[in-house]
Amino acid sequence: MGSSEPTSCETIPITVEFSGGLEMLFSNKAKHAVAVPSIDPVTNSPFNIGHLIRHLVDNLITDDRTDLFVLDDHLRPGILVLINDADWELEGEEEYEIQSGDAILFVSTLHGG
Amino acid sequence: MDGEIGNGVMKTASNGVNEYENRRLTDDEFDRYSRQMIVPGMGKEAQLRLINSRVLIIGAGGLGCPAAQYVAASGVGTLGIVDGDVVEMSNLHRQVGHATSRIGMKKVDSLITHLKDLNPLPTYTPHPFHISSQNAADIISKYDLVMDCTDNAATRYLISDICVLLQKPLVSAASVQKSGQLIVLNCPPAQQGLIDKPYPPCYRCCFRKPPPPSAMVTCGEAGIMGTVVGMMGVAQAGEAIKILASNLHKPSTSTNPSAPPSENLCQPHLLLYTYDLASGIGPYTFRAAKMGGRKKNCFACGENSPSTLTLEGIKGGNPNYEQFCGLNAASTTLLPKEERITASAYHQAKVKGELPEHILIDTREKEHFSFGSIEGAVNLPFTTLLTKAFKIKRAGQEEGKAEDILPPQAKEVSEDAPILFVCRRGLDSQEAVEKFKELGLDKGGKRKIMDIMGGMKAWKDEVDPDFQFI
């Protein structure tokens, strides 16, 4: 399917938030309104969290240290993903298909005290 | 074993769990705890459970101080505190269980001094050393509930593993800079390896792998707001009191059917707290995220865990927690010798007038820089530097574009004048050198780019002892 397909042009609005120091990599801003395609243009499949992570690295990150967010094409260890305030492991992790209005929170785990 | 605590006489209930006799509170106890005992849901029975419980607080710092204050004040019977450090001046803005007059004292002794004055009724047990693979099981086995108030990932995994093996509930909190996190784990405790029904998670179930060392920040590096870590410590105490007062700390096994239902604790919530110094709208945000339960494939508590994690193994150094958290691998030297200069060599050359015209860039954050720097240094914070470098790379390296990253002062020196970097301790400055070379600012070697070894810490040690280093 080419990009002329109407479905791949549709975007869905979501909120992406960063916490625990990760906001530093995204223009020092905690909360971002983001529009993502409903269909991932590369794989032609419904846009999921895995696609979102790549999308954020390609479009939203403002810091050179991308390795503080992704390692080997996956989220780096030590970052929790919360989909509408639930651990992403309860929702299918990278496979979770993004819905309009979703709030996705990336939190780096803290160890200090 | 605890016959001397209170007047309670231990008896063994029919279900095999030790229970205490329902006794009259002493006048002291009655007076001291009256305001909390009349809160709906507390009452005499809950207070007696607190009085007959033993709590271990690991870490007597920013979390441990407020946690210990409230746990002690609430009337637990025994409070153990583990910490090997001594009180320092820089602790006191947040570690409010210590005191200016006790700087230099062991933290456990300092905190217990404070707690005894607050509430003399509990038994306080100092453990004046750091928790380790060798001593953790022996210490933790003497308590009913553990509070993780430590400051590093390796210790957090160790404590959780021991709590799984000894079936102790764990109230875990962490805090850095302006954020805090809190979660109740392993509560009520269930035998390692059971997966026949939902069980509560351990630390590894929620946080399977630690972040790489480069991504871990400490309070010493990133700073910490006293109220943020204090809030987390107090919340930790609240959870501990709740668990003990509700009898949730007893292992839930098929032989203990009296263990209360606790579906909600099998999928605990992670409390996230962020505090925003810049926000005028809301000074703080709390949110709670639902976490999963015990994981079938968890290394510490999952189906096959009895073959991967044992008390004997831990004592013998398996798993190796430092290695797991990558603490041995960190290298601190990135640049070859000829691209580096020591702080004292820089200073001597400057005094002798032998230093060529150059630009000195201090990459510390502006809060650090505000306390002073080397004369003539200009501030370009490391995060700003990386952001600018990233934008330039993304825009494509057009001619002249890379020069935009240079501070305006660079125009005052000749265009091939060397660039020197200095940071806090000597790592960011090396990365800055590499970044500038990537951008082609060394003009194929025509322009020298170097770093001052060991950063402003070395400057203080070698050149200027009066420098105010944070």
Side-chain angles (χ1 to χ4, degrees), chain A residues 17 19-21 23-24 28 56-68 71 76-80 82 85-90 93 103 105 107-113, chain B residues 62-63 150-153 156 174-176 179-181 203 206-207 209-212 214-216 219 267 270 272 274 287-292 295 382-383 386-387 390 393-394 435:
Chain A
E17 287 181 78
S19 162
E23 62 277 15
M24 182 179 74
N28 250 316
L56 295 175
V57 172
D58 290 345
N59 299 291
L60 200 66
I61 211 163
T62 54
D63 193 296
D64 209 10
R65 292 169 292 176
T66 50
D67 59 333
L68 290 182
L71 277 178
R76 76 146 166 84
I79 297 180
L80 285 177
L82 303 172
D85 286 332
D87 187 2
W88 73 335
E89 295 193 356
L90 302 170
E93 302 196 10
L105 171 64
V107 198
S108 76
T109 53
L110 305 177
H111 302 92
Chain B
L63 293 165
T150 61
D151 62 0
N152 67 87
R156 290 177 181 278
S175 187
V176 173
S179 311
Q181 295 169 358
Y203 191 77
C206 298
F207 313 107
K209 277 166 79 181
S214 62
M216 276 194 250
C219 296
Q267 288 199 332
L270 173 70
L272 302 164
T274 30
R287 57 201 293 171
K290 194 177 190 181
M291 303 297 289
K295 290 211 171 57
F382 192 56
T383 46
L386 291 175
T387 305
F390 190 66
K393 271 204 307 210
R394 190 160 264 180
K435 201 55 68 183

Coordinates of all heavy atoms in Angstrom, one line a residue, chain A residues 17 19-21 23-24 28 56-68 71 76-80 82 85-90 93 103 105 107-113, chain B residues 62-63 150-153 156 174-176 179-181 203 206-207 209-212 214-216 219 267 270 272 274 287-292 295 382-383 386-387 390 393-394 435:
Chain A
E17 N 4.2 11.9 28.0 CA 4.8 12.6 29.2 C 6.1 11.9 29.6 O 6.3 10.7 29.4 CB 3.9 12.5 30.4 CG 2.7 13.5 30.2 CD 1.8 13.4 31.4 OE1 2.2 14.1 32.4 OE2 0.8 12.8 31.4
S19 N 9.1 11.7 32.8 CA 9.3 12.0 34.2 C 10.6 11.2 34.7 O 11.1 10.4 34.0 CB 8.1 11.5 34.9 OG 8.3 11.4 36.3
G20 N 11.0 11.6 35.9 CA 12.2 11.0 36.5 C 13.5 11.4 35.8 O 14.5 10.7 35.9
G21 N 13.5 12.5 35.1 CA 14.7 13.0 34.4 C 14.7 12.8 32.9 O 15.5 13.5 32.2
E23 N 12.6 13.9 30.9 CA 12.1 15.2 30.2 C 13.3 16.0 29.7 O 13.2 16.7 28.7 CB 11.3 16.0 31.2 CG 11.9 16.5 32.4 CD 12.0 15.4 33.6 OE1 11.7 14.2 33.3 OE2 12.3 15.8 34.7
M24 N 14.5 15.8 30.3 CA 15.7 16.5 29.9 C 16.0 16.2 28.4 O 16.6 17.0 27.7 CB 16.8 15.9 30.8 CG 18.2 16.5 30.6 SD 19.2 15.7 31.8 CE 19.4 14.0 31.1
N28 N 13.3 19.5 27.7 CA 13.0 19.9 29.1 C 11.6 20.1 29.4 O 11.2 20.9 30.3 CB 13.8 21.1 29.5 CG 14.9 20.7 30.5 OD1 14.7 19.9 31.4 ND2 16.1 21.3 30.2
L56 N 9.3 8.9 18.5 CA 9.8 9.9 19.4 C 11.3 10.2 19.2 O 11.8 11.3 19.2 CB 9.6 9.4 20.9 CG 8.1 9.3 21.3 CD1 8.0 8.7 22.7 CD2 7.4 10.6 21.2
V57 N 12.1 9.1 18.9 CA 13.5 9.3 18.6 C 13.7 10.1 17.3 O 14.6 10.9 17.1 CB 14.2 7.9 18.5 CG1 15.6 8.1 18.0 CG2 14.2 7.2 19.9
D58 N 12.8 9.8 16.3 CA 12.9 10.5 15.0 C 12.4 11.9 15.0 O 12.9 12.8 14.3 CB 12.2 9.7 13.9 CG 12.8 8.4 13.6 OD1 14.0 8.2 13.9 OD2 12.2 7.5 13.0
N59 N 11.5 12.2 15.9 CA 10.8 13.5 15.8 C 10.8 14.4 17.0 O 10.6 15.6 16.9 CB 9.3 13.3 15.4 CG 9.2 12.6 14.0 OD1 9.5 13.2 13.0 ND2 8.8 11.3 14.0
L60 N 10.9 13.8 18.2 CA 10.6 14.6 19.4 C 11.9 14.8 20.2 O 12.0 15.8 20.9 CB 9.5 14.0 20.2 CG 8.8 14.9 21.2 CD1 8.0 16.0 20.5 CD2 7.9 14.1 22.1
I61 N 12.8 13.9 20.2 CA 14.0 14.0 21.1 C 14.8 15.2 20.6 O 14.9 15.5 19.5 CB 14.8 12.7 21.0 CG1 15.5 12.4 22.4 CG2 15.8 12.6 19.9 CD1 15.9 11.0 22.5
T62 N 15.4 15.9 21.6 CA 16.2 17.1 21.3 C 17.6 17.0 21.9 O 18.3 18.0 22.0 CB 15.5 18.4 21.9 OG1 15.3 18.2 23.3 CG2 14.2 18.7 21.2
D63 N 18.0 15.8 22.3 CA 19.3 15.6 22.9 C 20.0 14.5 22.1 O 19.4 13.6 21.6 CB 19.1 15.2 24.4 CG 20.3 15.3 25.2 OD1 21.3 14.6 24.9 OD2 20.3 16.1 26.1
D64 N 21.3 14.7 22.1 CA 22.1 13.8 21.3 C 22.2 12.4 22.0 O 22.5 11.4 21.3 CB 23.6 14.4 21.2 CG 24.2 13.9 19.9 OD1 23.6 13.3 19.1 OD2 25.4 14.1 19.8
R65 N 22.0 12.4 23.3 CA 22.1 11.1 24.0 C 20.9 10.2 23.8 O 20.3 9.8 24.8 CB 22.4 11.4 25.5 CG 23.7 12.1 25.7 CD 23.9 12.6 27.1 NE 22.9 13.7 27.4 CZ 22.8 14.2 28.5 NH1 23.5 13.8 29.6 NH2 21.9 15.3 28.7
T66 N 20.6 9.8 22.6 CA 19.5 8.9 22.4 C 19.6 7.6 23.1 O 18.6 7.0 23.4 CB 19.3 8.6 20.9 OG1 20.5 8.2 20.3 CG2 18.9 9.9 20.1
D67 N 20.9 7.2 23.4 CA 21.1 6.0 24.2 C 20.5 6.0 25.6 O 20.5 5.0 26.3 CB 22.5 5.6 24.1 CG 23.4 6.6 24.8 OD1 23.1 7.8 24.8 OD2 24.5 6.2 25.3
L68 N 20.2 7.2 26.0 CA 19.5 7.3 27.3 C 18.0 7.0 27.2 O 17.3 6.9 28.2 CB 19.7 8.7 28.0 CG 21.1 9.1 28.4 CD1 21.1 10.5 29.0 CD2 21.7 8.0 29.4
L71 N 18.1 1.7 23.3 CA 19.3 0.9 23.1 C 19.0 -0.3 22.2 O 18.0 -1.0 22.5 CB 19.9 0.3 24.5 CG 20.7 1.2 25.4 CD1 21.0 0.5 26.7 CD2 22.0 1.7 24.7
R76 N 15.5 1.6 26.6 CA 16.6 1.1 27.4 C 16.1 0.6 28.7 O 15.1 1.0 29.2 CB 17.6 2.2 27.6 CG 17.2 3.3 28.6 CD 18.4 3.9 29.4 NE 18.0 5.1 30.1 CZ 17.5 5.1 31.3 NH1 17.2 4.0 31.9 NH2 17.2 6.3 31.9
P77 N 16.8 -0.3 29.3 CA 16.4 -0.8 30.7 C 16.4 0.3 31.7 O 17.1 1.3 31.5 CB 17.5 -1.8 31.1 CG 18.2 -2.2 29.8 CD 18.1 -1.0 28.9
G78 N 15.5 0.2 32.6 CA 15.3 1.3 33.6 C 14.3 2.3 33.3 O 14.3 3.4 33.9
I79 N 13.6 2.1 32.2 CA 12.5 3.1 31.9 C 11.2 2.3 32.0 O 11.0 1.2 31.3 CB 12.6 3.7 30.5 CG1 13.9 4.5 30.4 CG2 11.4 4.6 30.2 CD1 14.1 5.2 29.1
L80 N 10.2 2.8 32.8 CA 8.9 2.2 32.8 C 8.0 2.9 31.9 O 8.1 4.1 31.7 CB 8.3 2.4 34.2 CG 8.8 1.6 35.4 CD1 8.1 2.1 36.7 CD2 8.5 0.1 35.2
L82 N 4.0 3.7 31.1 CA 2.7 3.6 31.7 C 1.7 4.0 30.7 O 1.8 5.1 30.2 CB 2.6 4.4 33.0 CG 3.7 4.1 34.0 CD1 3.6 5.1 35.2 CD2 3.4 2.7 34.6
D85 N -1.9 5.2 32.9 CA -1.6 4.9 34.3 C -1.5 3.4 34.7 O -1.8 3.0 35.8 CB -2.5 5.6 35.2 CG -2.2 7.1 35.3 OD1 -1.0 7.5 35.1 OD2 -3.1 7.9 35.5
A86 N -1.2 2.5 33.7 CA -1.0 1.1 34.0 C 0.3 0.7 33.4 O 0.6 1.1 32.3 CB -2.1 0.3 33.5
D87 N 1.1 -0.1 34.1 CA 2.3 -0.7 33.6 C 2.1 -1.3 32.2 O 1.1 -2.0 32.0 CB 2.9 -1.7 34.6 CG 4.3 -2.2 34.2 OD1 4.8 -1.7 33.2 OD2 4.8 -3.1 34.9
W88 N 2.9 -1.0 31.2 CA 2.7 -1.5 29.9 C 2.7 -3.0 29.8 O 2.2 -3.6 28.8 CB 3.7 -0.8 28.9 CG 5.1 -1.3 28.9 CD1 5.8 -1.8 30.0 CD2 6.1 -1.2 27.9 NE1 7.1 -2.1 29.7 CE2 7.3 -1.7 28.4 CE3 6.0 -0.8 26.5 CZ2 8.4 -1.8 27.6 CZ3 7.2 -0.9 25.8 CH2 8.4 -1.4 26.3
E89 N 3.3 -3.6 30.8 CA 3.3 -5.1 30.8 C 1.9 -5.7 30.9 O 1.7 -6.8 30.5 CB 4.2 -5.6 31.9 CG 5.7 -5.3 31.6 CD 6.7 -6.0 32.5 OE1 6.2 -6.8 33.4 OE2 7.9 -5.8 32.4
L90 N 1.0 -4.9 31.5 CA -0.4 -5.3 31.6 C -1.1 -5.1 30.3 O -2.2 -5.5 30.1 CB -1.1 -4.5 32.7 CG -0.5 -4.6 34.1 CD1 -1.1 -3.6 35.0 CD2 -0.6 -6.0 34.6
E93 N 2.9 -4.5 26.2 CA 4.2 -3.8 26.0 C 4.3 -3.2 24.6 O 3.3 -2.4 24.3 CB 5.4 -4.8 26.1 CG 5.4 -5.4 27.5 CD 6.7 -6.1 27.9 OE1 7.7 -6.0 27.1 OE2 6.8 -6.8 28.9
A103 N -2.8 8.4 27.1 CA -1.7 9.1 27.8 C -0.6 8.1 28.1 O -0.8 7.1 28.8 CB -2.2 9.7 29.1
L105 N 3.1 7.5 29.5 CA 4.1 8.1 30.4 C 5.4 7.3 30.4 O 5.3 6.1 30.6 CB 3.5 8.3 31.8 CG 4.5 8.7 32.9 CD1 5.0 10.1 32.7 CD2 3.8 8.6 34.2
V107 N 8.8 6.9 32.4 CA 9.5 7.3 33.7 C 10.8 6.5 33.8 O 10.8 5.3 33.7 CB 8.6 6.8 34.9 CG1 9.0 7.6 36.1 CG2 7.2 6.9 34.6
S108 N 11.8 7.2 34.1 CA 13.0 6.5 34.4 C 13.0 6.1 35.9 O 12.6 6.9 36.8 CB 14.3 7.2 34.0 OG 14.6 8.2 34.9
T109 N 13.4 4.9 36.2 CA 13.4 4.4 37.6 C 14.5 5.1 38.4 O 15.6 5.3 37.9 CB 13.5 2.9 37.7 OG1 14.7 2.5 37.0 CG2 12.3 2.2 37.1
L110 N 14.2 5.5 39.6 CA 15.1 6.2 40.5 C 15.7 5.2 41.5 O 15.1 4.2 41.9 CB 14.3 7.3 41.3 CG 13.5 8.3 40.5 CD1 12.8 9.2 41.4 CD2 14.4 9.0 39.5
H111 N 16.9 5.5 41.9 CA 17.6 4.7 42.9 C 18.2 5.4 44.1 O 18.7 4.9 45.0 CB 18.7 3.9 42.2 CG 18.2 3.0 41.1 ND1 18.2 3.5 39.8 CD2 17.6 1.8 41.1 CE1 17.6 2.5 39.0 NE2 17.3 1.5 39.8
G112 N 18.1 6.8 44.0 CA 18.7 7.6 45.1 C 17.8 7.6 46.3 O 16.7 7.2 46.3
G113 N 18.4 8.2 47.3 CA 17.6 8.3 48.6 C 18.5 9.0 49.6 O 18.6 9.2 50.6
Chain B
G62 N 18.1 10.6 53.5 CA 17.0 11.4 53.2 C 15.6 10.7 53.3 O 14.6 11.4 53.7
L63 N 15.6 9.5 53.0 CA 14.3 8.7 53.1 C 14.2 8.1 54.5 O 13.2 8.1 55.2 CB 14.3 7.5 52.1 CG 14.2 7.8 50.6 CD1 14.5 6.6 49.8 CD2 12.8 8.3 50.3
T150 N 17.7 3.1 50.7 CA 19.1 3.1 50.2 C 19.2 4.0 49.0 O 18.2 4.6 48.5 CB 19.6 1.7 49.9 OG1 18.8 1.2 48.8 CG2 19.5 0.8 51.1
D151 N 20.4 4.2 48.5 CA 20.7 5.2 47.5 C 21.3 4.6 46.2 O 21.9 5.3 45.4 CB 21.6 6.3 48.0 CG 22.9 5.7 48.5 OD1 23.2 4.5 48.3 OD2 23.8 6.6 48.9
N152 N 21.2 3.2 46.0 CA 21.8 2.7 44.8 C 21.1 1.4 44.4 O 20.5 0.7 45.2 CB 23.3 2.4 45.0 CG 23.6 1.3 46.0 OD1 23.6 0.2 45.6 ND2 23.7 1.7 47.2
A153 N 21.2 1.2 43.1 CA 20.4 0.1 42.5 C 20.9 -1.3 43.0 O 20.1 -2.2 43.2 CB 20.5 0.1 40.9
R156 N 19.4 -2.2 46.2 CA 18.0 -2.4 46.0 C 17.6 -3.8 45.6 O 16.7 -4.5 46.1 CB 17.4 -1.4 45.1 CG 17.4 0.0 45.8 CD 16.9 1.1 44.9 NE 17.0 2.4 45.6 CZ 16.1 2.8 46.5 NH1 15.0 2.1 46.7 NH2 16.2 3.9 47.1
A174 N 12.4 5.7 46.4 CA 13.6 6.3 45.9 C 13.3 7.7 45.5 O 12.2 8.1 45.2 CB 14.1 5.5 44.7
S175 N 14.4 8.5 45.5 CA 14.2 9.9 45.1 C 15.5 10.6 44.7 O 16.5 10.3 45.2 CB 13.7 10.7 46.4 OG 13.3 12.0 46.1
V176 N 15.4 11.4 43.6 CA 16.5 12.1 43.1 C 16.0 13.5 42.6 O 14.9 13.5 42.0 CB 17.2 11.4 42.0 CG1 18.3 12.3 41.3 CG2 17.9 10.1 42.4
S179 N 12.1 14.3 41.9 CA 11.1 13.2 41.7 C 11.3 12.2 42.8 O 12.3 12.0 43.4 CB 11.4 12.5 40.4 OG 11.5 13.4 39.3
G180 N 10.2 11.5 43.0 CA 10.2 10.4 44.0 C 9.3 9.3 43.5 O 8.4 9.5 42.7
Q181 N 9.6 8.0 44.0 CA 8.8 6.9 43.6 C 8.7 6.0 44.9 O 9.6 6.0 45.7 CB 9.5 6.1 42.5 CG 9.6 6.8 41.2 CD 10.5 6.2 40.1 OE1 11.1 5.1 40.4 NE2 10.6 6.8 39.0
Y203 N 10.8 -6.6 43.7 CA 11.4 -5.5 43.0 C 11.8 -5.9 41.5 O 11.7 -5.1 40.6 CB 12.7 -5.1 43.8 CG 13.3 -3.8 43.3 CD1 12.7 -2.6 43.6 CD2 14.5 -3.8 42.5 CE1 13.3 -1.4 43.2 CE2 15.0 -2.6 42.1 CZ 14.4 -1.4 42.5 OH 15.0 -0.2 42.1
C206 N 9.0 -5.9 38.9 CA 8.6 -4.5 38.4 C 9.8 -3.9 37.7 O 9.5 -3.2 36.7 CB 8.3 -3.6 39.6 SG 6.8 -4.2 40.5
F207 N 11.0 -4.1 38.1 CA 12.2 -3.5 37.5 C 13.2 -4.5 37.1 O 14.2 -4.8 37.8 CB 12.8 -2.4 38.5 CG 11.8 -1.5 39.1 CD1 11.4 -1.7 40.4 CD2 11.1 -0.5 38.4 CE1 10.5 -0.9 41.0 CE2 10.2 0.3 39.0 CZ 9.9 0.1 40.3
K209 N 15.5 -5.1 34.8 CA 16.9 -4.8 34.6 C 17.2 -3.4 35.1 O 16.4 -2.5 34.9 CB 17.3 -5.0 33.1 CG 17.6 -6.4 32.7 CD 17.6 -6.5 31.2 CE 18.8 -6.1 30.5 NZ 18.8 -6.2 29.1
P210 N 18.4 -3.2 35.7 CA 18.8 -1.9 36.1 C 19.2 -1.0 34.8 O 19.5 -1.6 33.8 CB 20.0 -2.1 37.0 CG 20.6 -3.3 36.5 CD 19.5 -4.2 35.9
P211 N 19.1 0.3 34.9 CA 19.5 1.1 33.8 C 21.0 1.0 33.7 O 21.7 0.6 34.7 CB 19.1 2.5 34.2 CG 18.9 2.5 35.7 CD 18.5 1.1 36.1
P212 N 21.6 1.3 32.5 CA 23.0 1.4 32.4 C 23.6 2.4 33.3 O 22.9 3.4 33.6 CB 23.3 1.7 30.9 CG 22.0 2.3 30.4 CD 20.9 1.7 31.3
S214 N 25.5 4.8 33.0 CA 25.5 6.2 32.5 C 24.2 6.9 32.7 O 24.1 8.1 32.7 CB 25.9 6.2 31.0 OG 24.9 5.5 30.3
A215 N 23.1 6.1 32.9 CA 21.8 6.7 33.0 C 21.4 6.8 34.5 O 20.3 7.3 34.8 CB 20.8 5.9 32.3
M216 N 22.2 6.3 35.4 CA 21.9 6.4 36.8 C 22.4 7.7 37.4 O 23.6 8.0 37.3 CB 22.5 5.2 37.6 CG 21.6 4.0 37.5 SD 22.1 2.7 38.6 CE 22.8 1.5 37.6
C219 N 22.0 11.5 44.1 CA 21.7 12.8 44.7 C 22.9 13.7 44.8 O 22.8 15.0 44.7 CB 21.1 12.6 46.2 SG 19.6 11.7 46.2
Q267 N -1.4 -6.6 42.8 CA -1.1 -5.6 41.7 C -0.9 -4.2 42.3 O -1.8 -3.4 42.2 CB -2.2 -5.6 40.6 CG -2.2 -6.9 39.8 CD -2.9 -6.7 38.5 OE1 -3.8 -5.9 38.4 NE2 -2.5 -7.4 37.5
L270 N 2.4 2.0 41.9 CA 3.7 2.7 42.0 C 3.3 4.2 42.2 O 2.7 4.7 41.3 CB 4.5 2.5 40.8 CG 5.8 3.3 40.7 CD1 6.8 2.8 41.7 CD2 6.4 3.2 39.2
L272 N 4.1 7.9 42.0 CA 5.1 8.8 41.3 C 4.9 10.2 41.8 O 3.7 10.7 41.8 CB 5.0 8.7 39.8 CG 5.1 7.4 39.2 CD1 4.6 7.4 37.8 CD2 6.6 7.0 39.2
T274 N 6.2 14.2 41.4 CA 7.2 15.2 40.8 C 6.9 16.6 41.3 O 5.7 16.9 41.5 CB 7.1 15.2 39.2 OG1 5.8 14.9 38.8 CG2 8.1 14.3 38.6
R287 N 0.9 10.9 41.1 CA 0.1 9.9 40.3 C 0.4 8.5 40.7 O 1.5 8.2 41.2 CB 0.3 10.2 38.8 CG 1.6 10.1 38.3 CD 1.7 10.8 37.0 NE 1.0 10.2 35.9 CZ 0.8 10.7 34.8 NH1 1.3 11.9 34.5 NH2 0.1 10.1 33.8
A288 N -0.5 7.6 40.5 CA -0.3 6.3 40.9 C -0.5 5.4 39.6 O -1.4 5.6 38.8 CB -1.3 5.8 41.9
A289 N 0.4 4.5 39.4 CA 0.4 3.6 38.2 C 0.2 2.2 38.7 O 0.9 1.7 39.6 CB 1.6 3.8 37.4
K290 N -0.7 1.5 38.1 CA -0.9 0.1 38.4 C 0.2 -0.8 37.9 O 0.5 -0.7 36.7 CB -2.3 -0.3 37.9 CG -2.8 -1.6 38.5 CD -4.2 -1.9 37.9 CE -4.8 -3.1 38.7 NZ -6.1 -3.4 38.1
M291 N 0.8 -1.6 38.7 CA 1.8 -2.5 38.3 C 1.3 -3.9 38.2 O 0.3 -4.3 38.7 CB 3.0 -2.4 39.3 CG 3.6 -1.0 39.4 SD 4.3 -0.3 37.9 CE 5.7 -1.3 37.7
G292 N 2.1 -4.8 37.6 CA 1.7 -6.2 37.5 C 2.1 -7.0 38.7 O 2.7 -6.5 39.6
K295 N 5.8 -12.3 38.5 CA 6.0 -12.7 37.1 C 6.5 -14.2 37.1 O 7.4 -14.6 37.9 CB 7.1 -11.9 36.4 CG 6.5 -10.5 36.2 CD 7.1 -9.9 34.9 CE 6.4 -8.6 34.6 NZ 6.4 -7.6 35.7
F382 N 26.4 21.1 29.7 CA 26.5 19.9 28.9 C 25.2 19.6 28.2 O 25.3 19.2 27.0 CB 27.0 18.8 29.8 CG 27.4 17.5 29.1 CD1 28.5 17.6 28.2 CD2 26.9 16.3 29.4 CE1 28.9 16.5 27.5 CE2 27.3 15.2 28.7 CZ 28.3 15.2 27.8
T383 N 24.1 19.7 28.9 CA 22.8 19.3 28.2 C 22.5 20.3 27.1 O 22.0 19.8 26.1 CB 21.7 19.3 29.3 OG1 21.8 20.5 30.0 CG2 21.7 18.1 30.2
L386 N 24.8 19.3 24.2 CA 24.3 18.1 23.5 C 23.1 18.5 22.6 O 23.0 18.0 21.5 CB 24.0 17.0 24.4 CG 25.2 16.4 25.2 CD1 24.8 15.4 26.2 CD2 26.2 15.8 24.2
T387 N 22.2 19.3 23.1 CA 21.0 19.6 22.4 C 21.4 20.4 21.1 O 20.9 20.1 20.0 CB 20.1 20.5 23.3 OG1 19.8 19.7 24.4 CG2 18.8 20.8 22.5
F390 N 23.0 18.2 18.6 CA 22.0 17.3 18.0 C 21.3 18.0 16.9 O 21.0 17.5 15.8 CB 21.0 16.8 19.1 CG 20.1 15.7 18.6 CD1 20.6 14.5 18.3 CD2 18.7 16.0 18.5 CE1 19.7 13.5 17.9 CE2 17.9 15.0 18.1 CZ 18.4 13.7 17.8
K393 N 23.5 18.4 13.9 CA 23.6 17.1 13.1 C 22.4 16.8 12.3 O 22.4 16.3 11.2 CB 23.9 16.0 14.1 CG 25.4 15.8 14.3 CD 25.9 14.4 14.7 CE 25.2 13.9 15.9 NZ 26.0 13.0 16.7
R394 N 21.2 17.1 12.9 CA 20.0 16.8 12.3 C 19.8 17.7 11.0 O 19.2 17.3 10.0 CB 18.8 17.0 13.2 CG 17.5 16.5 12.7 CD 16.5 16.2 13.8 NE 16.5 14.8 14.3 CZ 15.8 14.4 15.2 NH1 15.0 15.2 15.9 NH2 15.8 13.1 15.6
K435 N 32.5 15.3 21.1 CA 31.4 15.9 20.4 C 31.8 17.0 19.4 O 31.4 17.1 18.3 CB 30.4 16.4 21.4 CG 29.0 16.6 21.0 CD 28.3 15.4 20.4 CE 28.1 14.2 21.4 NZ 27.6 13.0 20.8

